[in-house]
Amino acid sequence: MMDAAADRRGGTRRTARVVQYVAIALALVWSLAPVYWMLATSFKTELEAARLAPTPWPLRPTLDNYRGLFGGSLPFLAFFVNTVVTCLATAIVAVIIATPAAYALSRARFRLRAATGYAMLVFRMLPLVVLLAPLYLLLLNARLLDTHTGLVVGFATFGLPFAVWMLKSFVDAVPIEVEEAARVDGYRRWQILFRVVVPLILPGLLTTGTFVFMEAWNNLIYPLTFVTTLEKQTLPAALVLTFTGQFKTDWGGMMAAATLTTLPLMIAFFAVQRSMVRGLTSGAVAGA
Amino acid sequence: MAAITLRDIEKRYDDTLVLRDCNLDIADREFVVLVGPSGSGKTTLLRIIAGLERTSGGEILFDGARVNDVDVGDRDIAMVFQNYGLYPHMSVYDNMAFGLRRRKLAPADIDDRVRRTARMLAIESLLARRPRQLSGGQRQRVALGRAIVRDPAVFLLDEPLSNLDAHLRVQMRAEILKVHRAVTATAVYVTHDQVEALTMGDRIVVMNAGRIHQVGTPAELYDAPVDRFVASFIGTPAMGFIDCERRANGDRAELATSSARITLGEVQAQALSCANAGNVTVGIRPECLSVASERDAAAADVAVRGTVQVVEMLGAEHYVHVATEGGSLTARVPRHQRLRVDETVTFVASSRDVHLFDRETGRALR
């Protein structure tokens, strides 16, 4: 009797585990299939990549697509540099502006503090395109259209609210006694921010910066709208503008470029994924 | 060095009054302990003295000068926090030197003061370490060191021992007193532990519900509590209380319940008649009660009969909790006197050990 019950329980557990693994496998295939397709196509010849009946893997693997990126007529390196420069500048600008803002939201007691915080969140929830027209007009009036500075302004506008909220959660985690000890030691607010708080939230600054960087890197619509000179374009926009033509699409070249576009993002993500999760979830658990 | 005066201090958070009518004079170099249960306002009062909280009313004076509007960094105070408040990203040396650097002292002077203080607290070998590499006791020493290295006029300590184990707490108590003797600062120490208060304070301030109940030396508080709260808060185990009725017994003043008879001394009888209080609560400390036979009880000033509820074994003695008509008492009983739960037992005491309180107001009758 007891053995039969134990067997039944063991069977249920096994079934539950099998269902778990199947679910995980499905999720993996679902999310990794496009990445695999991108990688596989980047190593296919032009003819193989354009076949109507696609091959699951490169029959004759080649590096021609990658060579073509750097040796061809397209300024791929310029696209890459443009992207790195604008995204890095965006991350730095966002972190510099967001740090005192997050500190104020976390520590200062002022009227409308909560409302200010929520207003930022609401702003963040607006779709990218909603800001497109006003930002376009602003950049036009500031004569920043078709410049990298204008692009940084656009990226930072969208990245800042999230940066402030994420950094606020890191500041919240700094024990208030540490700051009060610095006040007793005679330091002023801004000195405490830079000499005590900032060193303690360095991982948070790095994580937030990386997040803003990644978001800017993925942004397609702003460069397409604000930048008109091809040589000034960022990678995602350049992929769309240069590899799809009226009569043919260079799938192999596009996938090689997409691989090189994705690579820095993946490296950045894996470098900060732990502290990113901590930043997003801190405060959810007591003592976190 | 500084004398601290608090005049009518009041603190309000929105509509909640957390401190009221707080008046206190702390002499220069005195070691004063603020003690009270959680929510009594002791930490808020300390933070007001520090300048970390603003008052809603009243004045704070350091050596007669009003400091209400003086910033915390300019009050010449040092503070030890409950959770130490050490800078996690700095070494022990830098933790101690951080405040001195703000005062723009010469590096050689800073180095000399940090090393001298570290020697005094036996933390010289820890100077290069970060706070996370230290034990609780070591962190506490560093926090103390960081405070005393500045040679402040006022030394504020907010429950500094509450995170330490019992053994280390006793050790650090002595350490703090030693440090206080070595420096010239006035010290204000907050604790909820009345043993800490009694063993450390030159004077103790007992607080409850945002009000100062009594200020006095440990002996004054123990022997002459001004009200029932102070009487019950100071002393371990706590004083027991019985509600009694007045009864005339010839020319002697007597208080009684159906199971207790308390004959009062002359002074107590006078206090009772002056106060004109009808309903009286009698308080007796546990060490003043002793087990007696019915015959001995008849001759004693105070005799109380009750039923044993709980017997706590404490090694050399027992704490016996007894329920009587009108209240409950605790007695310290030598170990050889074995008492059982539910046993009826008679305790006796001397009339001079009896504390009288007005049952309505809780004020002591003297």
Side-chain angles (χ1 to χ4, degrees), chain A residues 177-178 180-188 191 195-196 199-200, chain B residues 47 71 73-74 81 83 85-87 89 98-99 102-103 146 150:
Chain A
E177 288 93 342
V178 175
E180 287 181 341
R183 283 181 67 193
V184 171
D185 270 341
Y187 287 89
R188 306 289 174 219
Q191 290 174 309
R195 300 190 65 170
V196 177
L200 289 177
Chain B
R47 290 171 62 82
D71 192 70
D74 300 324
F81 293 87
N83 296 321
L86 297 175
Y87 309 119
H89 58 300
F98 195 57
R102 169 75 182 87
R103 280 160 181 77
R146 185 177 64 179
R150 295 228 330 262

Side-chain angles (χ1 to χ4, degrees), chain A residues 74-276:
Chain A
L74 282 175
F76 184 80
L77 200 64
F79 297 150
F80 194 84
V81 171
N82 293 343
T83 319
V84 170
V85 168
T86 51
C87 293
L88 210 58
T90 304
I92 292 168
V93 167
V95 166
I96 288 175
I97 298 174
T99 303
Y103 183 64
L105 271 185
S106 173
R107 299 296 200 224
R109 298 281 169 268
F110 56 92
R111 208 182 283 185
L112 297 178
R113 183 174 75 125
T116 311
Y118 287 121
M120 276 191 194
L121 266 191
V122 169
F123 185 75
R124 166 77 195 179
M125 285 166 193
L126 298 175
L128 271 173
V129 280
V130 172
L131 300 177
L132 211 56
L135 264 175
Y136 187 89
L137 288 174
L138 275 173
L139 296 181
L140 180 72
N141 288 327
R143 295 184 181 176
L144 288 175
L145 278 180
D146 203 27
T147 65
H148 286 159
T149 311
L151 210 48
V152 169
V153 171
F155 287 157
T157 308
F158 197 70
L160 254 174
F162 185 80
V164 171
W165 270 90
M166 193 156 179
L167 278 178
K168 179 183 172 297
S169 71
F170 280 96
V171 177
D172 286 344
V174 174
I176 192 75
E177 288 93 342
V178 175
E179 284 181 54
E180 287 181 341
R183 283 181 67 193
V184 171
D185 270 341
Y187 287 89
R188 306 289 174 219
R189 278 271 187 207
W190 62 270
Q191 290 174 309
I192 293 171
L193 172 62
F194 291 111
R195 300 190 65 170
V196 177
V197 177
V198 165
L200 289 177
I201 60 164
L202 265 183
L205 297 179
L206 199 69
T207 307
T208 308
T210 309
F211 197 91
V212 173
F213 179 90
M214 284 163 64
E215 217 178 37
W217 191 286
N218 279 326
N219 197 320
L220 172 68
I221 198 162
Y222 283 9
L224 280 179
T225 313
F226 302 147
V227 178
T228 43
T229 312
L230 183 68
E231 285 71 24
K232 291 181 183 172
Q233 270 304 357
T234 62
L235 273 172
L239 284 185
V240 175
L241 290 172
T242 54
F243 290 96
T244 44
Q246 193 176 358
F247 302 108
K248 75 163 196 177
T249 299
D250 177 9
W251 291 112
M254 187 192 257
M255 290 303 123
T259 304
L260 291 184
T261 307
T262 315
L263 217 57
L265 277 195
M266 286 198 166
I267 293 168
F269 178 77
F270 285 118
V272 298
Q273 60 159 336
R274 273 192 179 198
S275 52
M276 188 175 287

Side-chain angles (χ1 to χ4, degrees), chain B residues 12 17 19 44 70 74 78 107 154 162 178 205 230 252 294 364:
Chain B
R12 210 178 266 282
L17 194 61
L19 283 180
T44 308
V70 176
D74 300 324
V154 178
S162 59
K178 202 172 85 186
V205 180
V230 177
R252 303 185 77 181
E294 287 295 330

Side-chain angles (χ1 to χ4, degrees), chain B residues 182-221:
Chain B
V183 299
T184 54
T186 307
V188 185
Y189 185 105
V190 163
T191 180
H192 63 269
D193 182 347
Q194 45 111 358
V195 176
E196 237 167 76
L198 289 169
T199 51
M200 297 179 80
D202 293 330
R203 280 192 308 149
I204 300 171
V205 180
V206 183
M207 296 185 68
N208 188 36
R211 216 162 53 78
I212 293 178
H213 278 241
Q214 187 172 3
V215 182
T217 62
E220 281 166 1
L221 294 182

